[in-house]
Amino acid sequence: MQPQRIGVVVALAAEARILFSGKLRYQAVMDIQSQLCMVVSGMGPVRADQAAEQLLQAGVDGLLSWGTAGGLNPACLAGDLLVPEHIFWAGRAWPTDSDWRSALVQQLSGQVRAGGLCSVSEACASVAAKAQLRADYPEAQAVDMESGAVAQRAVQAGIPFLAIRSVVDPADQSLPATATHSVDCYGRPQAMPLLRGLLRHPGDLPPLMGLGRQMQVAVNTLRLVQPHLLQSHLREANSV
């Protein structure tokens, strides 16, 4: 059943701005509307777990993991939307809420991938690492670093959980080293590390530019989902 007050965990600033156009605050509960609030956590399961706890303390009765992911299924392309049925994390499959998921998917006109999402503690940046995860978890469509920790918190609290992820880098694409070392934990570019990385690896520039375009494609997909998320929630709240 869809919750009445949703708490959203978002890792990256670019992902958060899809839901909130004002000034972002980090690692703090931000009200988007009366039934929807968010914490911009930064990357990784530890930060995501802390954000989920903040939202639980704020009184939410449902948790949503929102953002982008890397593809594991070779069929997944940049911009593909995943609303998984379960999250692979900490040695088990954590379920998403089937009723909440169905209510959202029914509103979306484009293709939505089901199956699983694999959550990891460190960035899965190489083709080989992605292939190994896919071999270990054949149902996993994509990989992220936050959804598992949020799912675990939701299950422990006995409240509904959902994840919405859009693919940035497909399974056959490795991330250039400069990409992972030239942003802060919120995905914001850092000028000096970027310049140093490009001086050491000038060949990283074209794939970095391509990755930026793919990120925009993924963000555009999430923008299409955002009004359905809010409209669905408002209808559910108004019917109570």
PDB file of all heavy atoms in Angstrom, residues 12-19 66-69 78-81 165-168 211-227:
ATOM      1  N   LEU A  12      22.810  12.108  -5.321  1.00  0.00           N
ATOM      2  CA  LEU A  12      23.494  13.138  -6.094  1.00  0.00           C
ATOM      3  C   LEU A  12      22.662  14.414  -6.212  1.00  0.00           C
ATOM      4  O   LEU A  12      21.428  14.374  -6.296  1.00  0.00           O
ATOM      5  CB  LEU A  12      23.807  12.626  -7.509  1.00  0.00           C
ATOM      6  CG  LEU A  12      24.587  11.322  -7.602  1.00  0.00           C
ATOM      7  CD1 LEU A  12      24.866  10.982  -9.060  1.00  0.00           C
ATOM      8  CD2 LEU A  12      25.887  11.399  -6.811  1.00  0.00           C
ATOM      9  N   ALA A  13      23.350  15.531  -6.281  1.00  0.00           N
ATOM     10  CA  ALA A  13      22.668  16.815  -6.433  1.00  0.00           C
ATOM     11  C   ALA A  13      21.846  16.854  -7.714  1.00  0.00           C
ATOM     12  O   ALA A  13      20.715  17.356  -7.716  1.00  0.00           O
ATOM     13  CB  ALA A  13      23.697  17.949  -6.426  1.00  0.00           C
ATOM     14  N   ALA A  14      22.383  16.338  -8.816  1.00  0.00           N
ATOM     15  CA  ALA A  14      21.656  16.367 -10.091  1.00  0.00           C
ATOM     16  C   ALA A  14      20.374  15.560 -10.019  1.00  0.00           C
ATOM     17  O   ALA A  14      19.366  15.915 -10.647  1.00  0.00           O
ATOM     18  CB  ALA A  14      22.554  15.834 -11.214  1.00  0.00           C
ATOM     19  N   GLU A  15      20.383  14.481  -9.264  1.00  0.00           N
ATOM     20  CA  GLU A  15      19.174  13.668  -9.088  1.00  0.00           C
ATOM     21  C   GLU A  15      18.158  14.386  -8.202  1.00  0.00           C
ATOM     22  O   GLU A  15      16.947  14.309  -8.426  1.00  0.00           O
ATOM     23  CB  GLU A  15      19.542  12.325  -8.474  1.00  0.00           C
ATOM     24  CG  GLU A  15      20.510  11.508  -9.303  1.00  0.00           C
ATOM     25  CD  GLU A  15      21.169  10.373  -8.522  1.00  0.00           C
ATOM     26  OE1 GLU A  15      21.145  10.402  -7.266  1.00  0.00           O
ATOM     27  OE2 GLU A  15      21.732   9.469  -9.163  1.00  0.00           O
ATOM     28  N   ALA A  16      18.657  15.097  -7.189  1.00  0.00           N
ATOM     29  CA  ALA A  16      17.776  15.801  -6.255  1.00  0.00           C
ATOM     30  C   ALA A  16      17.064  16.966  -6.926  1.00  0.00           C
ATOM     31  O   ALA A  16      15.906  17.265  -6.616  1.00  0.00           O
ATOM     32  CB  ALA A  16      18.574  16.292  -5.055  1.00  0.00           C
ATOM     33  N   ARG A  17      17.739  17.633  -7.863  1.00  0.00           N
ATOM     34  CA  ARG A  17      17.149  18.810  -8.492  1.00  0.00           C
ATOM     35  C   ARG A  17      15.948  18.457  -9.366  1.00  0.00           C
ATOM     36  O   ARG A  17      15.166  19.330  -9.728  1.00  0.00           O
ATOM     37  CB  ARG A  17      18.203  19.551  -9.309  1.00  0.00           C
ATOM     38  CG  ARG A  17      19.246  20.244  -8.427  1.00  0.00           C
ATOM     39  CD  ARG A  17      20.113  21.217  -9.201  1.00  0.00           C
ATOM     40  NE  ARG A  17      21.122  21.800  -8.327  1.00  0.00           N
ATOM     41  CZ  ARG A  17      22.373  21.387  -8.246  1.00  0.00           C
ATOM     42  NH1 ARG A  17      22.777  20.370  -8.998  1.00  0.00           N
ATOM     43  NH2 ARG A  17      23.232  21.966  -7.428  1.00  0.00           N
ATOM     44  N   ILE A  18      15.800  17.190  -9.713  1.00  0.00           N
ATOM     45  CA  ILE A  18      14.605  16.761 -10.439  1.00  0.00           C
ATOM     46  C   ILE A  18      13.371  16.905  -9.561  1.00  0.00           C
ATOM     47  O   ILE A  18      12.273  17.223 -10.028  1.00  0.00           O
ATOM     48  CB  ILE A  18      14.753  15.297 -10.905  1.00  0.00           C
ATOM     49  CG1 ILE A  18      15.987  15.150 -11.796  1.00  0.00           C
ATOM     50  CG2 ILE A  18      13.506  14.816 -11.647  1.00  0.00           C
ATOM     51  CD1 ILE A  18      16.397  13.706 -12.016  1.00  0.00           C
ATOM     52  N   LEU A  19      13.548  16.700  -8.270  1.00  0.00           N
ATOM     53  CA  LEU A  19      12.437  16.757  -7.323  1.00  0.00           C
ATOM     54  C   LEU A  19      12.287  18.114  -6.649  1.00  0.00           C
ATOM     55  O   LEU A  19      11.205  18.445  -6.167  1.00  0.00           O
ATOM     56  CB  LEU A  19      12.628  15.685  -6.236  1.00  0.00           C
ATOM     57  CG  LEU A  19      12.664  14.230  -6.695  1.00  0.00           C
ATOM     58  CD1 LEU A  19      12.967  13.318  -5.516  1.00  0.00           C
ATOM     59  CD2 LEU A  19      11.352  13.839  -7.355  1.00  0.00           C
ATOM     60  N   TRP A  66      15.869   7.028  -4.997  1.00  0.00           N
ATOM     61  CA  TRP A  66      15.633   7.719  -6.276  1.00  0.00           C
ATOM     62  C   TRP A  66      16.962   8.112  -6.908  1.00  0.00           C
ATOM     63  O   TRP A  66      17.834   8.643  -6.223  1.00  0.00           O
ATOM     64  CB  TRP A  66      14.790   8.970  -5.993  1.00  0.00           C
ATOM     65  CG  TRP A  66      14.671   9.984  -7.091  1.00  0.00           C
ATOM     66  CD1 TRP A  66      15.487  11.041  -7.323  1.00  0.00           C
ATOM     67  CD2 TRP A  66      13.640  10.054  -8.088  1.00  0.00           C
ATOM     68  NE1 TRP A  66      15.040  11.777  -8.394  1.00  0.00           N
ATOM     69  CE2 TRP A  66      13.902  11.192  -8.882  1.00  0.00           C
ATOM     70  CE3 TRP A  66      12.525   9.266  -8.376  1.00  0.00           C
ATOM     71  CZ2 TRP A  66      13.089  11.563  -9.949  1.00  0.00           C
ATOM     72  CZ3 TRP A  66      11.714   9.636  -9.438  1.00  0.00           C
ATOM     73  CH2 TRP A  66      11.992  10.761 -10.212  1.00  0.00           C
ATOM     74  N   GLY A  67      17.120   7.842  -8.208  1.00  0.00           N
ATOM     75  CA  GLY A  67      18.323   8.309  -8.860  1.00  0.00           C
ATOM     76  C   GLY A  67      18.731   7.480 -10.060  1.00  0.00           C
ATOM     77  O   GLY A  67      17.898   6.904 -10.763  1.00  0.00           O
ATOM     78  N   THR A  68      20.030   7.392 -10.279  1.00  0.00           N
ATOM     79  CA  THR A  68      20.588   6.739 -11.459  1.00  0.00           C
ATOM     80  C   THR A  68      21.317   5.459 -11.060  1.00  0.00           C
ATOM     81  O   THR A  68      21.517   5.174  -9.886  1.00  0.00           O
ATOM     82  CB  THR A  68      21.543   7.692 -12.194  1.00  0.00           C
ATOM     83  OG1 THR A  68      22.556   8.151 -11.283  1.00  0.00           O
ATOM     84  CG2 THR A  68      20.781   8.894 -12.745  1.00  0.00           C
ATOM     85  N   ALA A  69      21.723   4.697 -12.081  1.00  0.00           N
ATOM     86  CA  ALA A  69      22.374   3.410 -11.842  1.00  0.00           C
ATOM     87  C   ALA A  69      23.238   3.059 -13.043  1.00  0.00           C
ATOM     88  O   ALA A  69      23.139   3.669 -14.114  1.00  0.00           O
ATOM     89  CB  ALA A  69      21.319   2.318 -11.600  1.00  0.00           C
ATOM     90  N   ALA A  78      21.355   3.526 -21.883  1.00  0.00           N
ATOM     91  CA  ALA A  78      21.283   4.778 -21.141  1.00  0.00           C
ATOM     92  C   ALA A  78      19.876   5.350 -21.236  1.00  0.00           C
ATOM     93  O   ALA A  78      19.306   5.443 -22.322  1.00  0.00           O
ATOM     94  CB  ALA A  78      22.301   5.776 -21.682  1.00  0.00           C
ATOM     95  N   GLY A  79      19.324   5.715 -20.089  1.00  0.00           N
ATOM     96  CA  GLY A  79      17.975   6.256 -20.051  1.00  0.00           C
ATOM     97  C   GLY A  79      16.898   5.242 -19.767  1.00  0.00           C
ATOM     98  O   GLY A  79      15.746   5.617 -19.524  1.00  0.00           O
ATOM     99  N   ASP A  80      17.231   3.955 -19.774  1.00  0.00           N
ATOM    100  CA  ASP A  80      16.233   2.933 -19.441  1.00  0.00           C
ATOM    101  C   ASP A  80      15.808   3.090 -17.980  1.00  0.00           C
ATOM    102  O   ASP A  80      16.628   3.379 -17.108  1.00  0.00           O
ATOM    103  CB  ASP A  80      16.790   1.527 -19.651  1.00  0.00           C
ATOM    104  CG  ASP A  80      16.739   1.094 -21.106  1.00  0.00           C
ATOM    105  OD1 ASP A  80      16.366   1.921 -21.959  1.00  0.00           O
ATOM    106  OD2 ASP A  80      17.079  -0.072 -21.390  1.00  0.00           O
ATOM    107  N   LEU A  81      14.519   2.871 -17.740  1.00  0.00           N
ATOM    108  CA  LEU A  81      13.947   3.042 -16.406  1.00  0.00           C
ATOM    109  C   LEU A  81      13.774   1.691 -15.732  1.00  0.00           C
ATOM    110  O   LEU A  81      13.223   0.761 -16.308  1.00  0.00           O
ATOM    111  CB  LEU A  81      12.596   3.754 -16.493  1.00  0.00           C
ATOM    112  CG  LEU A  81      11.865   3.983 -15.175  1.00  0.00           C
ATOM    113  CD1 LEU A  81      12.648   4.941 -14.276  1.00  0.00           C
ATOM    114  CD2 LEU A  81      10.462   4.526 -15.432  1.00  0.00           C
ATOM    115  N   ARG A 165      15.126   3.920 -10.578  1.00  0.00           N
ATOM    116  CA  ARG A 165      16.486   4.165 -11.074  1.00  0.00           C
ATOM    117  C   ARG A 165      16.494   4.237 -12.597  1.00  0.00           C
ATOM    118  O   ARG A 165      15.816   3.454 -13.270  1.00  0.00           O
ATOM    119  CB  ARG A 165      17.432   3.044 -10.619  1.00  0.00           C
ATOM    120  CG  ARG A 165      17.666   3.010  -9.116  1.00  0.00           C
ATOM    121  CD  ARG A 165      18.710   4.027  -8.699  1.00  0.00           C
ATOM    122  NE  ARG A 165      18.658   4.337  -7.276  1.00  0.00           N
ATOM    123  CZ  ARG A 165      19.575   5.051  -6.643  1.00  0.00           C
ATOM    124  NH1 ARG A 165      20.618   5.520  -7.306  1.00  0.00           N
ATOM    125  NH2 ARG A 165      19.438   5.327  -5.361  1.00  0.00           N
ATOM    126  N   SER A 166      17.281   5.154 -13.128  1.00  0.00           N
ATOM    127  CA  SER A 166      17.476   5.277 -14.570  1.00  0.00           C
ATOM    128  C   SER A 166      18.944   4.995 -14.890  1.00  0.00           C
ATOM    129  O   SER A 166      19.843   5.482 -14.204  1.00  0.00           O
ATOM    130  CB  SER A 166      17.093   6.682 -15.042  1.00  0.00           C
ATOM    131  OG  SER A 166      17.240   6.803 -16.438  1.00  0.00           O
ATOM    132  N   VAL A 167      19.170   4.220 -15.942  1.00  0.00           N
ATOM    133  CA  VAL A 167      20.526   3.774 -16.288  1.00  0.00           C
ATOM    134  C   VAL A 167      21.325   4.909 -16.929  1.00  0.00           C
ATOM    135  O   VAL A 167      20.822   5.627 -17.800  1.00  0.00           O
ATOM    136  CB  VAL A 167      20.461   2.562 -17.242  1.00  0.00           C
ATOM    137  CG1 VAL A 167      21.854   2.200 -17.761  1.00  0.00           C
ATOM    138  CG2 VAL A 167      19.823   1.369 -16.536  1.00  0.00           C
ATOM    139  N   VAL A 168      22.569   5.060 -16.492  1.00  0.00           N
ATOM    140  CA  VAL A 168      23.504   5.999 -17.114  1.00  0.00           C
ATOM    141  C   VAL A 168      24.469   5.241 -18.021  1.00  0.00           C
ATOM    142  O   VAL A 168      24.480   5.423 -19.238  1.00  0.00           O
ATOM    143  CB  VAL A 168      24.290   6.806 -16.061  1.00  0.00           C
ATOM    144  CG1 VAL A 168      25.340   7.700 -16.735  1.00  0.00           C
ATOM    145  CG2 VAL A 168      23.349   7.661 -15.225  1.00  0.00           C
ATOM    146  N   LEU A 211      29.803  10.453 -21.200  1.00  0.00           N
ATOM    147  CA  LEU A 211      29.146  10.098 -19.947  1.00  0.00           C
ATOM    148  C   LEU A 211      28.228  11.223 -19.485  1.00  0.00           C
ATOM    149  O   LEU A 211      27.132  10.979 -18.955  1.00  0.00           O
ATOM    150  CB  LEU A 211      30.194   9.785 -18.885  1.00  0.00           C
ATOM    151  CG  LEU A 211      29.711   9.154 -17.580  1.00  0.00           C
ATOM    152  CD1 LEU A 211      29.124   7.770 -17.836  1.00  0.00           C
ATOM    153  CD2 LEU A 211      30.870   9.052 -16.590  1.00  0.00           C
ATOM    154  N   GLY A 212      28.660  12.454 -19.678  1.00  0.00           N
ATOM    155  CA  GLY A 212      27.817  13.598 -19.330  1.00  0.00           C
ATOM    156  C   GLY A 212      26.524  13.608 -20.127  1.00  0.00           C
ATOM    157  O   GLY A 212      25.450  13.895 -19.586  1.00  0.00           O
ATOM    158  N   ARG A 213      26.614  13.286 -21.419  1.00  0.00           N
ATOM    159  CA  ARG A 213      25.400  13.225 -22.245  1.00  0.00           C
ATOM    160  C   ARG A 213      24.486  12.094 -21.780  1.00  0.00           C
ATOM    161  O   ARG A 213      23.257  12.249 -21.740  1.00  0.00           O
ATOM    162  CB  ARG A 213      25.784  13.046 -23.711  1.00  0.00           C
ATOM    163  CG  ARG A 213      26.447  14.279 -24.338  1.00  0.00           C
ATOM    164  CD  ARG A 213      26.579  14.142 -25.828  1.00  0.00           C
ATOM    165  NE  ARG A 213      27.534  13.110 -26.215  1.00  0.00           N
ATOM    166  CZ  ARG A 213      28.822  13.314 -26.421  1.00  0.00           C
ATOM    167  NH1 ARG A 213      29.335  14.526 -26.275  1.00  0.00           N
ATOM    168  NH2 ARG A 213      29.626  12.326 -26.786  1.00  0.00           N
ATOM    169  N   GLN A 214      25.080  10.959 -21.417  1.00  0.00           N
ATOM    170  CA  GLN A 214      24.275   9.836 -20.934  1.00  0.00           C
ATOM    171  C   GLN A 214      23.597  10.178 -19.607  1.00  0.00           C
ATOM    172  O   GLN A 214      22.456   9.773 -19.371  1.00  0.00           O
ATOM    173  CB  GLN A 214      25.152   8.595 -20.785  1.00  0.00           C
ATOM    174  CG  GLN A 214      25.621   8.013 -22.103  1.00  0.00           C
ATOM    175  CD  GLN A 214      26.733   6.991 -21.935  1.00  0.00           C
ATOM    176  OE1 GLN A 214      27.702   6.975 -22.681  1.00  0.00           O
ATOM    177  NE2 GLN A 214      26.614   6.135 -20.928  1.00  0.00           N
ATOM    178  N   MET A 215      24.298  10.909 -18.746  1.00  0.00           N
ATOM    179  CA  MET A 215      23.698  11.332 -17.486  1.00  0.00           C
ATOM    180  C   MET A 215      22.483  12.202 -17.753  1.00  0.00           C
ATOM    181  O   MET A 215      21.449  12.083 -17.076  1.00  0.00           O
ATOM    182  CB  MET A 215      24.727  12.087 -16.648  1.00  0.00           C
ATOM    183  CG  MET A 215      24.208  12.559 -15.292  1.00  0.00           C
ATOM    184  SD  MET A 215      23.768  11.175 -14.203  1.00  0.00           S
ATOM    185  CE  MET A 215      23.250  12.053 -12.722  1.00  0.00           C
ATOM    186  N   GLN A 216      22.580  13.075 -18.752  1.00  0.00           N
ATOM    187  CA  GLN A 216      21.441  13.932 -19.068  1.00  0.00           C
ATOM    188  C   GLN A 216      20.267  13.120 -19.583  1.00  0.00           C
ATOM    189  O   GLN A 216      19.106  13.414 -19.266  1.00  0.00           O
ATOM    190  CB  GLN A 216      21.848  14.988 -20.099  1.00  0.00           C
ATOM    191  CG  GLN A 216      20.786  16.057 -20.300  1.00  0.00           C
ATOM    192  CD  GLN A 216      20.423  16.770 -19.010  1.00  0.00           C
ATOM    193  OE1 GLN A 216      21.286  17.322 -18.329  1.00  0.00           O
ATOM    194  NE2 GLN A 216      19.139  16.753 -18.645  1.00  0.00           N
ATOM    195  N   VAL A 217      20.545  12.078 -20.362  1.00  0.00           N
ATOM    196  CA  VAL A 217      19.480  11.193 -20.837  1.00  0.00           C
ATOM    197  C   VAL A 217      18.791  10.515 -19.655  1.00  0.00           C
ATOM    198  O   VAL A 217      17.554  10.425 -19.596  1.00  0.00           O
ATOM    199  CB  VAL A 217      20.045  10.142 -21.817  1.00  0.00           C
ATOM    200  CG1 VAL A 217      19.008   9.074 -22.142  1.00  0.00           C
ATOM    201  CG2 VAL A 217      20.511  10.809 -23.102  1.00  0.00           C
ATOM    202  N   ALA A 218      19.592  10.031 -18.697  1.00  0.00           N
ATOM    203  CA  ALA A 218      19.022   9.378 -17.511  1.00  0.00           C
ATOM    204  C   ALA A 218      18.200  10.355 -16.686  1.00  0.00           C
ATOM    205  O   ALA A 218      17.113  10.014 -16.192  1.00  0.00           O
ATOM    206  CB  ALA A 218      20.138   8.763 -16.668  1.00  0.00           C
ATOM    207  N   VAL A 219      18.694  11.576 -16.519  1.00  0.00           N
ATOM    208  CA  VAL A 219      17.962  12.599 -15.773  1.00  0.00           C
ATOM    209  C   VAL A 219      16.641  12.920 -16.469  1.00  0.00           C
ATOM    210  O   VAL A 219      15.595  13.082 -15.820  1.00  0.00           O
ATOM    211  CB  VAL A 219      18.825  13.867 -15.616  1.00  0.00           C
ATOM    212  CG1 VAL A 219      17.982  15.068 -15.182  1.00  0.00           C
ATOM    213  CG2 VAL A 219      19.931  13.614 -14.592  1.00  0.00           C
ATOM    214  N   ASN A 220      16.659  12.998 -17.798  1.00  0.00           N
ATOM    215  CA  ASN A 220      15.432  13.280 -18.538  1.00  0.00           C
ATOM    216  C   ASN A 220      14.391  12.191 -18.314  1.00  0.00           C
ATOM    217  O   ASN A 220      13.189  12.473 -18.235  1.00  0.00           O
ATOM    218  CB  ASN A 220      15.734  13.430 -20.023  1.00  0.00           C
ATOM    219  CG  ASN A 220      16.475  14.715 -20.347  1.00  0.00           C
ATOM    220  OD1 ASN A 220      16.491  15.659 -19.539  1.00  0.00           O
ATOM    221  ND2 ASN A 220      17.103  14.767 -21.507  1.00  0.00           N
ATOM    222  N   THR A 221      14.834  10.942 -18.231  1.00  0.00           N
ATOM    223  CA  THR A 221      13.901   9.850 -17.931  1.00  0.00           C
ATOM    224  C   THR A 221      13.262  10.044 -16.564  1.00  0.00           C
ATOM    225  O   THR A 221      12.044   9.897 -16.402  1.00  0.00           O
ATOM    226  CB  THR A 221      14.627   8.496 -17.978  1.00  0.00           C
ATOM    227  OG1 THR A 221      15.049   8.234 -19.319  1.00  0.00           O
ATOM    228  CG2 THR A 221      13.720   7.361 -17.517  1.00  0.00           C
ATOM    229  N   LEU A 222      14.071  10.385 -15.573  1.00  0.00           N
ATOM    230  CA  LEU A 222      13.533  10.606 -14.229  1.00  0.00           C
ATOM    231  C   LEU A 222      12.588  11.799 -14.197  1.00  0.00           C
ATOM    232  O   LEU A 222      11.599  11.803 -13.444  1.00  0.00           O
ATOM    233  CB  LEU A 222      14.671  10.789 -13.234  1.00  0.00           C
ATOM    234  CG  LEU A 222      15.539   9.550 -12.974  1.00  0.00           C
ATOM    235  CD1 LEU A 222      16.724   9.910 -12.084  1.00  0.00           C
ATOM    236  CD2 LEU A 222      14.727   8.424 -12.349  1.00  0.00           C
ATOM    237  N   ARG A 223      12.849  12.807 -15.014  1.00  0.00           N
ATOM    238  CA  ARG A 223      11.935  13.954 -15.075  1.00  0.00           C
ATOM    239  C   ARG A 223      10.553  13.534 -15.567  1.00  0.00           C
ATOM    240  O   ARG A 223       9.536  14.105 -15.150  1.00  0.00           O
ATOM    241  CB  ARG A 223      12.507  15.047 -15.985  1.00  0.00           C
ATOM    242  CG  ARG A 223      13.703  15.765 -15.403  1.00  0.00           C
ATOM    243  CD  ARG A 223      14.048  17.020 -16.199  1.00  0.00           C
ATOM    244  NE  ARG A 223      15.310  17.593 -15.754  1.00  0.00           N
ATOM    245  CZ  ARG A 223      15.460  18.333 -14.666  1.00  0.00           C
ATOM    246  NH1 ARG A 223      14.404  18.592 -13.912  1.00  0.00           N
ATOM    247  NH2 ARG A 223      16.642  18.816 -14.332  1.00  0.00           N
ATOM    248  N   LEU A 224      10.505  12.562 -16.454  1.00  0.00           N
ATOM    249  CA  LEU A 224       9.222  12.066 -16.941  1.00  0.00           C
ATOM    250  C   LEU A 224       8.474  11.288 -15.862  1.00  0.00           C
ATOM    251  O   LEU A 224       7.247  11.250 -15.856  1.00  0.00           O
ATOM    252  CB  LEU A 224       9.436  11.173 -18.172  1.00  0.00           C
ATOM    253  CG  LEU A 224      10.010  11.857 -19.412  1.00  0.00           C
ATOM    254  CD1 LEU A 224      10.273  10.831 -20.515  1.00  0.00           C
ATOM    255  CD2 LEU A 224       9.064  12.945 -19.924  1.00  0.00           C
ATOM    256  N   VAL A 225       9.212  10.676 -14.956  1.00  0.00           N
ATOM    257  CA  VAL A 225       8.595   9.900 -13.880  1.00  0.00           C
ATOM    258  C   VAL A 225       8.078  10.810 -12.771  1.00  0.00           C
ATOM    259  O   VAL A 225       7.039  10.538 -12.155  1.00  0.00           O
ATOM    260  CB  VAL A 225       9.597   8.889 -13.298  1.00  0.00           C
ATOM    261  CG1 VAL A 225       8.997   8.123 -12.128  1.00  0.00           C
ATOM    262  CG2 VAL A 225      10.073   7.924 -14.372  1.00  0.00           C
ATOM    263  N   GLN A 226       8.790  11.900 -12.513  1.00  0.00           N
ATOM    264  CA  GLN A 226       8.513  12.743 -11.342  1.00  0.00           C
ATOM    265  C   GLN A 226       7.052  13.183 -11.213  1.00  0.00           C
ATOM    266  O   GLN A 226       6.463  13.032 -10.140  1.00  0.00           O
ATOM    267  CB  GLN A 226       9.442  13.959 -11.364  1.00  0.00           C
ATOM    268  CG  GLN A 226       9.302  14.888 -10.185  1.00  0.00           C
ATOM    269  CD  GLN A 226       8.508  16.133 -10.526  1.00  0.00           C
ATOM    270  OE1 GLN A 226       8.005  16.271 -11.638  1.00  0.00           O
ATOM    271  NE2 GLN A 226       8.386  17.021  -9.567  1.00  0.00           N
ATOM    272  N   PRO A 227       6.395  13.691 -12.258  1.00  0.00           N
ATOM    273  CA  PRO A 227       5.003  14.109 -12.048  1.00  0.00           C
ATOM    274  C   PRO A 227       4.069  12.953 -11.734  1.00  0.00           C
ATOM    275  O   PRO A 227       3.109  13.121 -10.972  1.00  0.00           O
ATOM    276  CB  PRO A 227       4.629  14.789 -13.372  1.00  0.00           C
ATOM    277  CG  PRO A 227       5.638  14.335 -14.356  1.00  0.00           C
ATOM    278  CD  PRO A 227       6.884  14.057 -13.589  1.00  0.00           C
TER     279      PRO A 227
END
